[in-house]
């Protein structure tokens, strides 16, 4: 178990980071809910489908992600990709994260 595993009570604090993380991966490749849950777990975020799906829907509603149905054997799953608007928002967020990183981690 990773030391950085977050407690549920801290989720509000991390919700923006989770959204940015999702957006980052959706900018690189098509993502789907369960794959993203595993990816976030790898980074120490425990998030249930009941919490992730509303985040995906919210990002789609805002126009940052676009979904389509993809066949996966006999079932279908929804895959998401970042839209041009999502890419632009991600770029803007990156400079904010960089800024925060400088102060938070590097103490500048
Ligand atoms: Zn990642």
């Amino acid at each position: 178990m990773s030391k950085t595993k977050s407690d549920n009570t801290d989720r509000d604090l991390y919700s923006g980071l989770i959204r940015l993380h999702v957006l980052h991966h959706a900018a690189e490749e098509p993502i789907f809910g369960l794959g993203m849950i595993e990816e976030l777990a790898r980074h120490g975020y425990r998030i249930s489908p009941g919490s992730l799906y509303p985040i995906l829907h919210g990002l789609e509603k805002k126009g940052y992600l676009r979904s389509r149905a993809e066949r996966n054997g006999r079932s279908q799953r929804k895959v998401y990709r970042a839209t041009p608007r999502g890419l632009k928002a991600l770029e803007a967020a990156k400079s904010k994260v960089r800024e925060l990183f400088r102060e938070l981690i590097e103490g500048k």
Side-chain angles (χ1 to χ4, degrees):
M1 208 143 83
S2 156
K3 250 194 270 179
T4 56
K5 269 223 179 345
S6 57
D7 192 86
N8 280 349
T9 53
D10 296 330
R11 183 170 302 142
D12 283 356
L13 211 47
Y14 300 127
S15 65
L17 296 178
I18 290 172
R19 281 176 171 80
L20 287 175
H21 205 128
V22 166
L23 195 54
H24 164 69
H25 282 284
E28 299 208 312
E29 70 220 329
I31 59 161
F32 59 99
L34 286 176
M36 203 57 226
I37 286 170
E38 283 170 19
E39 169 61 18
L40 287 165
R42 206 170 65 77
H43 287 281
Y45 298 98
R46 249 181 305 179
I47 186 163
S48 65
S51 301
L52 183 68
Y53 285 105
I55 288 175
L56 291 172
H57 297 157
L59 289 171
E60 186 174 25
K61 211 172 161 196
K62 288 228 166 198
Y64 299 144
L65 299 179
R66 195 174 5 249
S67 71
R68 64 184 163 80
E70 186 185 85
R71 269 210 113 37
N72 180 29
R74 303 183 73 171
S75 58
Q76 263 196 353
R77 67 183 180 191
K78 236 176 170 185
V79 295
Y80 295 84
R81 292 238 49 181
T83 61
R85 183 175 177 174
L87 295 176
K88 210 172 147 192
L90 183 62
E91 277 315 306
K94 270 186 200 174
S95 66
K96 288 194 162 40
V97 169
R98 196 174 293 124
E99 176 74 31
L100 180 63
F101 180 85
R102 277 199 198 111
E103 184 159 17
L104 213 60
I105 311 297
E106 298 177 339
K108 283 176 192 162

